[in-house]
Amino acid sequence: GVWGEPRGNGAGGCRGLNFLIPLLDRVRYVQSLKEIVINVPEQSAVTLDNVTLQIDGVLYLRVMDPYKASYGVEDPEYAVTQLAQTTMRSELGKLSLDRVFRERESLNANIVDAINQASDCWGIRCLRYEIKDIHVPPRVKESMQMQVEAERRKRATVLESEGMRESAINVAEGQKQAQILASEAKKAEQINKAAGEANAMLVRAKAKAEAIQLLAAALAQQHGSVAASLSVAEQYVSAFSKLAKDSSTVLLPANTGDITHMVTQALGIYTTLTKTQAAKTQDEIPPTHGDPQPPSTEVLKAEQATSS
């Protein structure tokens, strides 16, 4: 008969009721129903990209049917171990070296499924399979290390270039904003300057208009023309003196030495302009009934000097 190893409290169990005849019958197989841990020996496997790896693992299984485990296979543990190794080599042949390290968990699950499909008729169920170590050849390991370093340098270069690009963009954006602000400031300055110049021109024009009005009012008063004649004569003489100081070549009248004649000539020019303006004013304004004032003695003398 086939006996199962006692569970927990030591109670025995068997498949059916069996009677043993001493010296004739004996227990042929004893199967443990506990979970069994089996070390899968290290083996060589070739990946999809032709890299040879040394890999080992740990297999966790349990006997679910002692009868099948006894009569379905000669040595169940050995059979499951060999099946785990062949399945491992088959699964590794489907993956590249990089994927072996990334898909370790899925690789374990695929091995468990393959073992369970084959060991179902043996009364054994595989619970887990874990890869312990993966040994890579030294030269391949060096290549992998160089690849990792190159990848890190690449990332550093990319990050540095992205930083430089962001810096250039920020600098260009700052310059753009600075130029916009500078142009706006210059525009505002020109507007303010133009407004100030316009206001200054208006103020100067108003001041000149008021000065002209005051001058006209002063000329209209008594002895105003005499004072204007004296001012014109002074400016006439002063102009000749400045002209002699500023330039080395000066064109002067023939009688420059006669100051009296120069003054009389200037007063004559002013008197002529005054008479012309007075004639226009009399044509525009109707005559009044009041008695006209006789010309002053100074004006008569100036006219006589001009005619002479």
Side-chain angles (χ1 to χ4, degrees), residues 76-122:
E77 293 185 4
Y78 177 78
V80 172
T81 302
Q82 294 300 316
L83 181 60
Q85 289 181 338
T86 56
T87 305
M88 171 65 71
R89 286 194 292 267
S90 176
E91 292 296 329
L92 285 177
K94 300 177 183 178
L95 302 175
S96 62
L97 180 61
D98 295 334
R99 294 183 60 190
V100 169
F101 295 98
R102 291 199 304 265
E103 301 183 8
R104 195 166 181 171
E105 184 176 356
S106 62
L107 183 62
N108 293 335
N110 293 336
I111 294 173
V112 171
D113 292 338
I115 293 175
N116 286 331
Q117 290 178 6
S119 63
D120 186 36
C121 60
W122 301 338

Side-chain angles (χ1 to χ4, degrees), residues 189-205:
E189 181 182 0
Q190 292 178 354
I191 292 174
N192 294 335
K193 185 177 181 181
E197 291 178 354
N199 292 331
M201 292 175 65
L202 290 175
V203 172
R204 285 195 297 269

Side-chain angles (χ1 to χ4, degrees), residues 3 22 52 106 111 116 160 162 168 280 286:
W3 288 78
T52 303
S106 62
I111 294 173
N116 286 331
E160 184 179 0
E162 290 180 354
K280 292 182 180 180

Side-chain angles (χ1 to χ4, degrees), residues 74 93 102 158 198 246 271:
E74 180 65 27
R102 291 199 304 265
V158 170
D246 297 337
T271 303

Side-chain angles (χ1 to χ4, degrees), residues 34 41 46 56 99 149 185 203 242 261 272 290:
K34 296 180 181 180
V46 181
D56 56 2
R99 294 183 60 190
E149 293 178 358
V203 172
K242 289 183 179 179
H261 179 75
T272 303

Side-chain angles (χ1 to χ4, degrees), residues 122-140:
W122 301 338
I124 298 174
R125 182 170 184 79
C126 180
L127 302 179
R128 292 184 305 280
Y129 182 85
E130 297 294 338
I131 297 175
K132 289 174 60 179
D133 296 316
I134 299 177
H135 300 284
V136 183
R139 298 184 63 180
V140 176

